[in-house]
């Protein structure tokens, strides 16, 4: 193929705690994710999904093995290198993490504050445009407590995508949503990511959204396995 992976993980393990309390939560993780791929990770609660996502997102230090994002080795990377990697990643968490004291537009625009090269007026307009993309043009000046769960999650998506990140990491983005809003939110993420050519790694328990993935991976007791691409679809009928 010749295309290099945007995320390359080899033999990554992770431990929490010290001494007698030291506990291994990830075991020899190996996975590569390519530019533009939509990958869904499933697995039971406590199996290590969030831990892996925070390692990839440079939010936690890699202890062993090799974890490269944009060809930057994260193991033993310094703070400056980690901060640089984070600028090209959009994060969407289960509990959307919107700041209650900021409007929808201000929450989205905050993601552009890291990008000092973007003029404030431009940042303002891009935030408004991004909210329109997620169907919230009329809601830009509303505060989170005035929005529904689905609307808040769409603001979080707008915030994650406004800076055109190369990778979006989404941790159970539909967990607090009803079936239809969950579906809408995932389709929206997929559409915007395809438009921008970015890679998505999403954790979800929601079987109804698995079809948006190019590839499915599964975490169980800290070990990662690959599932068949056609998982969840009927088996092919032989002629
Ligand atoms: P998942 O996202 O699949 O539910 P997590 O990655 O959150 O799983 O957790 C994996 C394991 O690591 C669990 O046993 C959890 O209790 C433990 N764990 C997670 N975060 C910490 C932490 N900060 N300190 C100690 N143990 C943790
Ligand atoms: Mg989790």
């Amino acid at each position: 193929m010749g295309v290099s992976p945007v995320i390359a993980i080899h033999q990554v393990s992770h431990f929490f705690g010290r001494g007698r309390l030291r506990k291994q939560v990830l075991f020899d993780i190996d996975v590569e994710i390519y530019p533009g791929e939509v990958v869904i990770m499933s697995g039971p609660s406590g199996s290590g999904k969030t831990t892996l996502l925070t390692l990839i997102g440079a939010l936690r230090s890699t202890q062993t093995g090799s974890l490269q994002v944009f060809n930057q080795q994260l193991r033993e990377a310094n703070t400056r290198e980690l901060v640089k990697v984070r600028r090209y990643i959009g994060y969407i968490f289960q509990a959307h993490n919107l700041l209650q004291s900021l409007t929808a537009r201000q929450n989205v625009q905050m993601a552009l504050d890291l990008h000092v090269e973007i003029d404030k007026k431009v940042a303002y307009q891009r935030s408004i445009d991004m909210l329109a993309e997620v169907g919230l043009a009329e809601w830009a000046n509303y505060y989170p407590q005035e929005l529904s769960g689905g609307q808040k999650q769409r603001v979080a998506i707008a915030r994650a995508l406004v800076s055109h990140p190369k990778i979006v990491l989404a941790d159970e983005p539909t967990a607090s949503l009803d079936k239809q809003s969950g579906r809408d939110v995932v389709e929206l993420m997929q559409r915007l990511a395809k438009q921008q050519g970015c890679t998505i790694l999403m954790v979800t328990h929601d079987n109804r959204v698995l079809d948006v993935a190019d590839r499915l991976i599964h975490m169980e007791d800290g070990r990662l396995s690959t599932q068949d691409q056609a998982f969840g679809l009927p088996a092919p009928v032989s002629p």
Side-chain angles (χ1 to χ4, degrees), residues 28-239:
D28 309 322
I29 304 293
D30 274 305
V31 66
E32 293 188 338
I33 298 177
Y34 289 86
E37 265 197 302
V38 176
V39 176
I40 288 184
M41 175 160 55
S42 59
S45 178
S47 59
K49 304 181 300 297
T50 296
T51 304
L52 183 59
L53 229 59
T54 54
L55 288 173
I56 296 170
L59 299 171
R60 187 187 288 293
S61 302
T62 300
Q63 300 168 340
T64 67
S66 166
L67 200 167
Q68 287 179 281
V69 177
F70 315 127
N71 293 315
Q72 165 71 53
Q73 176 60 254
L74 297 189
R75 184 177 169 198
E76 287 163 7
N78 62 38
T79 308
R80 192 179 52 80
E81 291 165 331
L82 294 177
V83 168
K84 189 167 173 223
V85 165
R86 285 182 207 142
R87 288 175 50 162
Y88 299 100
I89 299 181
Y91 305 88
I92 303 170
F93 298 106
Q94 175 175 354
H96 61 72
N97 303 96
L98 299 182
L99 291 179
Q100 299 298 323
S101 60
L102 300 182
T103 64
R105 193 268 305 162
Q106 290 169 328
N107 267 287
V108 173
Q109 194 172 334
M110 216 176 63
L112 294 173
D113 288 349
L114 281 171
H115 295 259
V116 289
E117 74 282 6
I118 301 174
D119 177 81
K120 286 276 176 258
K121 274 190 193 139
V122 173
Y124 179 95
Q125 193 55 47
R126 270 176 70 173
S127 305
I128 298 281
D129 293 346
M130 196 67 223
L131 281 169
E133 284 274 6
V134 301
L136 293 176
E138 318 288 304
W139 298 87
N141 295 321
Y142 285 74
Y143 288 88
Q145 68 267 23
E146 300 172 301
L147 303 175
S148 72
Q151 288 174 324
K152 280 187 277 207
Q153 204 54 304
R154 283 189 274 151
V155 176
I157 291 172
R159 183 181 55 185
L161 290 166
V162 71
S163 61
H164 292 199
K166 296 191 180 114
I167 299 175
V168 169
L169 299 174
D171 200 353
E172 307 195 32
T174 66
S176 60
L177 304 179
D178 63 57
K179 181 175 167 182
Q180 189 55 45
S181 342
R183 178 87 210 166
D184 290 348
V185 155
V186 168
E187 283 181 355
L188 182 67
M189 268 172 59
Q190 184 208 29
R191 179 170 62 76
L192 295 174
K194 291 289 173 192
Q195 269 175 22
Q196 299 185 2
C198 89
T199 303
I200 299 185
L201 176 57
M202 175 166 70
V203 171
T204 183
H205 293 294
D206 191 346
N207 289 327
R208 296 170 304 232
V209 304
L210 297 182
D211 59 293
V212 307
D214 297 315
R215 189 150 59 103
L216 301 169
I217 57 180
H218 186 75
M219 185 76 87
E220 191 114 18
D221 294 333
R223 290 183 168 84
L224 201 60
S225 60
T226 301
Q227 295 174 341
D228 188 82
Q229 197 171 344
F231 178 82
L233 299 174
V237 182
S238 41

